[in-house]
Amino acid sequence: MNRPTIHRMAAPTDPLELVDFASDFPAASEDDWRALVAGVLRRSGRPDTADPVEALTANTYDDIAIRPLYPAGPDPALDRVARDGAWDVRTRHRDPDAAAANAAILNDLETGATSLWLTIGTGGLAVDDLPSALRGVYLGLAPVVLDAGDRSAAAARALLDLAGDVEPGSLQGSLGADPIGWRARTGADCFRLAELVALAGGYRRLRIATVDGTVYHDAGAGDATEIAAATATGVAYLRELTDAGLAVDEAFDRIEFRIAVTADQFGSIAKLRAARQVWQRVAELCGADNREQHQHAVTSAVMLTRRDPWVNLLRTTIGCFAAAVGGADAITVLPFDTALGLPDDFARRIARNTHAVLHDESSLGRVADAAGGSWYVESFTARLAEQAWQRFTDIEQSGGALAALDGGLLGGLVASTRRRRADDIAHRRAPLTGVTEFALPDEPALERLAAPQAPSGGPLEAVRWAAEFEELRDRVEARETRPAVFLATLGPQSQHSARLAFARNLFNAGGFRVLDGAADEFASSGAAVACVCSSDTVYADEAEHAIAALRAAGAKQVWIAGRHDGADGQLYAGCDALAVLRTTEETTA
């Protein structure tokens, strides 16, 4: 069987010189590490009996323990990346203006892109505009992946009409049908894959279905749930494809998986590896000889921010790196301004060049399996695969992906993690730089053309992580007179500077004008809310008087930076920052 191949950036052929820097350092043992960490823990107030490993262990949203130290141990069923180090650079297009889309498509293909991902129908191009959008594109050279929802059959016919002169054995890409994902997003009835099987019958290198794991990720799912839901959906499509007449191995060849990668570098690497392991197990149980999972990794849309969008350049670079190291076959880097609307040419160029820098300048294209053999990554992968397999079997026992979606099982798994992540963001345990932390006061607006409305209305609605903070800030800054918060400093600068900076950072995240000065300057500031800032030592002598004076001067709300009683509320690391900002917004209304 001719399995689908894919166009990728060319991997460099010159040898990569490796240098052993570790030999320049003295050998260290685990006991040495434990002794050093124990000393730090004692200075931070931890008891001498605290175990250094347990004290520094954190849990993921899938309740997988991330330990600070991974000494070599038994081989945890290592995953191996199959590709040669290069990957397919896939760019997304959803501009409903066919002429503008065509210009962007041709520019992408001329400057580094190797395949195209087109949104058709709701949220993108009209099916009838596909010929105009693809004018000048050589379909035998540039694979096209459709994303057309309930218009999948019509879009497939339009694409195949355009590819009439292409040898059937040369046409690659995917018809991209994902009926269960479409139902999850919109609530619409699922369409069938049988018609698409008939349409694609002679095109053996053209994939038919896309299992879009980003549907579950965007709604708030953790990594194990995303893998489990995607695997169950893939199994449902295997059943449909074989029922439509395809052999098992051919059915496996005709499915692609789309998986989200985030700025959680190691989590994303492990997710891609674990997804492959779970799918390989499915293939084994199906008796398939072809056990590869074709992966299309996409930098997460819901991690992107509208505020300080330049920070998204860092987030997507980390995501692209993780996708490459994790072994994705195709990678889409969403432009940094995606959350603002339709990306402009500059943003698209930077997204393409992110691939080039990582592939060529950073030499990732020279390495087939950069994470292979890392005990941390291999252990993380194995644990994540175990969790995902258990959830996948739970979904299958409930009747499969569609039954789990309609019956609420998937929604429950997604909602549980979404709530936990939202709580972490609200308390700034999961900081969003430029939004919840280090917000840029009076940042200039970055204008973009409005993007078409994405499909919605289903049981799994997409939720951007920064949305609640950004919506609050939008409301505050939209007022005719932006409300102010006065930071009342007590004592010398050496005593109040740390908490002054902390409080300023927090209120900047809400879009408030932040003023500071001595407490007796509050009356003339025009602010309705005050926050006392100093050290615990100064608070012992002056806080009570300062709070009373601020209230007497007309403060409707008095906060205090630190854990000190007497004010209306306390600001400290780990407090509910979103609740603080909402209370301040209401108080200043």
Side-chain angles (χ1 to χ4, degrees), residues 317-485:
T317 298
I318 296 170
C320 185
F321 175 87
V325 172
D329 300 281
I331 303 174
T332 296
V333 173
L334 295 180
F336 74 90
D337 54 357
T338 294
L340 294 168
L342 291 173
D344 68 1
D345 290 341
F346 172 76
R348 301 189 68 85
R349 175 172 177 263
I350 294 297
R352 292 191 306 271
N353 285 349
T354 300
H355 292 270
V357 168
L358 291 172
H359 182 276
D360 298 331
E361 296 188 30
S362 299
S363 293
L364 282 184
R366 301 170 182 256
V367 185
D369 192 9
S374 162
W375 292 103
Y376 168 42
V377 173
E378 302 290 9
S379 174
F380 195 172
T381 297
R383 293 290 307 282
L384 185 56
E386 290 169 5
Q387 287 270 16
W389 182 261
Q390 181 59 57
R391 293 183 192 181
F392 160 67
T393 56
D394 290 343
I395 292 169
E396 284 294 289
Q397 288 170 5
S398 75
L402 186 57
L405 177 66
D406 290 344
L409 173 61
L410 270 179
L413 290 172
V414 169
S416 173
T417 304
R418 184 176 63 237
R419 287 192 295 268
R420 289 174 61 187
R421 189 189 304 276
D423 189 65
D424 283 345
I425 291 171
H427 289 80
R428 302 197 295 179
R429 294 186 293 265
L432 299 174
T433 304
V435 178
T436 68
E437 298 274 10
F438 310 115
L440 180 62
D442 302 314
E443 66 175 287
L446 202 59
E447 300 296 337
R448 293 292 184 267
L449 294 174
Q453 188 68 38
S456 61
L460 299 182
E461 290 281 356
V463 181
R464 271 191 322 107
W465 299 345
E468 290 187 288
F469 274 87
E470 290 182 337
E471 289 165 3
L472 184 148
R473 186 171 171 184
D474 287 346
R475 292 193 302 269
V476 169
E477 293 184 349
R479 295 188 191 178
E480 185 174 350
T481 301
R482 197 190 322 173
V485 174

Side-chain angles (χ1 to χ4, degrees), residues 126-149:
V127 172
D128 291 343
D129 287 336
L130 193 59
S132 298
L134 292 177
R135 184 177 291 116
V137 176
Y138 294 96
L139 297 178
L141 298 176
V144 173
V145 175
L146 300 177
D147 185 358

Side-chain angles (χ1 to χ4, degrees), residues 7 137-143 163 166-167 170-172 205:
H7 296 277
V137 176
Y138 294 96
L139 297 178
L141 298 176
V166 178
E167 285 292 326
S170 299
L171 188 66
Q172 299 181 62
R205 304 175 75 186

Side-chain angles (χ1 to χ4, degrees), residues 28-45:
S29 68
E30 182 177 343
D31 288 340
D32 294 334
W33 179 87
R34 284 178 171 272
L36 289 170
V37 174
V40 174
L41 292 174
R42 280 194 297 273
R43 289 193 293 275
S44 67

Side-chain angles (χ1 to χ4, degrees), residues 519-554:
D520 59 9
E521 298 174 29
F522 172 78
S524 60
S525 69
V529 172
C531 178
V532 178
C533 302
S534 196
S535 67
D536 290 341
T537 301
V538 173
Y539 286 161
D541 296 328
E542 301 183 31
E544 183 178 351
H545 173 75
I547 292 168
L550 290 167
R551 286 174 174 155

